[in-house]
């Protein structure tokens, strides 16, 4: 058992070193992209059937020549499906391509890089089966501002609106990731506003909890609190830990395109 404890200490020590080395490198590399987001605002409207209508307003500012294809991807591991996707600019729907790759919904579109150097795109989509069930409650638990990107977001704001059936029924609301100002606008509207800019690999995630049995919800993601046994005190589990960190480190240095687990765009 002493040997197992020693190996654990070594794993933790090596992990801290690699995190301190690789995260600054990733951050510096991210700054070379010739654009940034002036803001990303996300509006989530929860419907009576539990669907979430998401509207992302993204304002890009380009500081130099760059490719004219933009993208957004959304993981599908905790939702049933995403439908009704559209991309628009200046109140006009523009052509976009969607497809599922590696259990992620990808949205891609092209635009002109001529003047003006700023573009504001509105991305809309319907999330089916995206509410999470935990005990006697349901949750909107959504990573609204995605972390997997190569440029900074100067400002961001997330607003969640519930149907009238949930007025005064919200049990808890909070945010994770970048420090945010959390505000209850009225009995069914909640706002989360980032207090600072979001560098690459940072996020804004919101969680709002309310009781089950009020909305007519049929599809939810069941959050399990039970953890299966994974041989925590055996050498086999330690080998799994080492393998996981090796894969993480290789992914940081060798990946050629964005592919994080929590959503991305660029």
């Amino acid at each position: 058992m002493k040997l197992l404890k020693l190996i654990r200490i070594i794993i933790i020590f090596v992990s801290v070193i690699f995190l301190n080395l690789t995260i600054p490198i990733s951050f510096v590399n991210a700054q070379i992209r010739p654009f940034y987001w002036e803001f990303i605002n996300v509006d989530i409207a929860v419907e009576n059937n539990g669907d979430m209508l998401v509207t992302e307003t993204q304002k890009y500012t380009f500081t130099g020549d760059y490719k004219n294809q933009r993208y957004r991807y959304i993981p599908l591991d905790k939702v049933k499906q995403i439908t009704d996707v559209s991309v628009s600019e200046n109140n006009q729907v523009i052509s976009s391509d969607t497809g599922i790759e590696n259990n992620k919904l990808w949205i891609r579109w092209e635009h002109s890089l001529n003047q003006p150097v700023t573009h504001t795109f509105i991305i809309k989509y319907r999330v089916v089966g995206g509410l999470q069930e935990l005990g006697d409650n349901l949750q909107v638990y959504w990573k609204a501002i995605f972390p997997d990107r190569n440029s900074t977001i100067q400002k961001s704001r997330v607003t969640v609106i519930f149907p009238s059936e949930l007025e005064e029924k919200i049990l808890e609301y909070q945010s994770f990731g970048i420090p945010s100002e959390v505000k209850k606008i009225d009995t069914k509207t909640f706002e989360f506003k980032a207090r600072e800019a979001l560098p690459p690999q940072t996020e804004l995630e919101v969680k709002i909890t309310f009781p089950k049995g009020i909305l007519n919800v049929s599809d939810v993601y069941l959050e399990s609190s039970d953890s299966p046994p994974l041989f925590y005190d055996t050498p086999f589990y330690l080998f799994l830990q080492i393998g996981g960190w090796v894969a993480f480190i290789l992914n940081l240095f060798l990946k050629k395109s964005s592919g994080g687990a929590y959503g991305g765009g660029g």
Side-chain angles (χ1 to χ4, degrees):
M1 295 304 294
K2 290 183 178 180
L3 178 61
L4 295 178
K5 291 181 178 179
L6 178 60
I7 295 175
R8 282 197 180 95
I9 293 173
I10 294 174
I11 290 174
I12 294 172
F13 178 74
V14 172
S15 301
V16 170
I17 291 176
F18 271 105
L19 284 174
N20 277 281
L21 287 175
T22 57
I23 290 178
I25 291 173
S26 299
F27 180 79
V28 169
N29 288 338
Q31 301 312 297
I32 65 175
R33 296 295 190 270
F35 74 88
Y36 61 89
W37 281 273
E38 193 168 318
F39 64 81
I40 295 182
N41 294 333
V42 180
D43 297 291
I44 303 173
V46 180
E47 296 196 321
N48 293 313
N49 64 355
D51 289 0
M52 296 188 294
L53 301 182
V54 182
T55 301
E56 300 182 3
T57 304
Q58 304 188 19
K59 184 174 183 180
Y60 289 77
T61 296
F62 293 89
T63 57
D65 293 334
Y66 195 52
K67 59 186 179 182
N68 68 333
Q69 185 184 76
R70 308 273 65 79
Y71 71 89
R72 170 79 166 99
Y73 77 78
I74 308 163
L76 299 173
D77 55 336
K78 293 185 178 181
V79 307
K80 182 178 181 180
Q81 61 179 330
I82 292 178
T83 63
D84 303 339
V85 177
S86 70
V87 181
S88 61
E89 184 180 20
N90 298 324
N91 296 318
Q92 293 186 340
V93 175
I94 60 179
S95 177
S96 61
D97 295 320
T98 61
I100 297 176
E101 304 170 17
N102 299 321
N103 204 31
K104 302 177 181 71
L105 175 73
W106 285 80
I107 309 168
R108 296 181 174 93
W109 67 97
E110 294 184 355
H111 62 92
S112 168
L113 278 181
N114 298 327
Q115 295 294 331
V117 293
T118 62
H119 287 270
T120 301
F121 301 108
I122 298 178
I123 306 166
K124 294 184 178 182
Y125 51 91
R126 176 184 295 270
V127 180
V128 179
L131 295 181
Q132 297 194 20
E133 180 178 341
L134 184 61
D136 295 328
N137 300 319
L138 294 176
Q139 296 176 332
V140 172
Y141 203 166
W142 195 251
K143 202 176 297 287
I145 306 298
F146 46 87
D148 192 4
R149 51 190 159 75
N150 292 320
S151 293
T152 295
I153 304 170
Q154 290 188 338
K155 297 179 182 179
S156 64
R157 185 260 308 151
V158 180
T159 303
V160 183
I161 303 175
F162 291 91
S164 57
E165 289 87 345
L166 286 173
E167 288 190 21
E168 302 291 1
K169 299 291 195 308
I170 302 301
L171 303 175
E172 182 184 25
Y173 51 96
Q174 57 186 312
S175 66
F176 305 94
I178 203 77
S180 304
E181 178 184 351
V182 181
K183 183 187 300 183
K184 181 179 180 180
I185 303 299
D186 56 36
T187 56
K188 59 187 181 69
T189 307
F190 300 85
E191 182 182 81
F192 308 82
K193 185 179 296 184
R195 296 181 183 273
E196 57 195 59
L198 285 83
Q201 311 307 314
T202 58
E203 65 195 34
L204 176 52
E205 185 174 33
V206 301
K207 182 171 76 171
I208 305 177
T209 306
F210 56 93
K212 288 194 301 186
I214 300 177
L215 300 183
N216 185 26
V217 178
S218 57
D219 295 307
V220 297
Y221 173 80
L222 182 60
E223 184 71 34
S224 174
S225 59
D226 298 327
S227 299
L230 290 175
F231 312 107
Y232 293 111
D233 295 318
T234 67
F236 178 71
Y237 177 65
L238 293 177
F239 287 133
L240 289 179
Q241 287 182 309
I242 295 172
W245 276 110
V246 170
F248 169 77
I249 294 163
L250 289 175
N251 182 62
L252 280 175
F253 284 102
L254 299 180
K255 71 175 184 177
K256 296 182 180 180
S257 61
S258 299
Y262 300 108

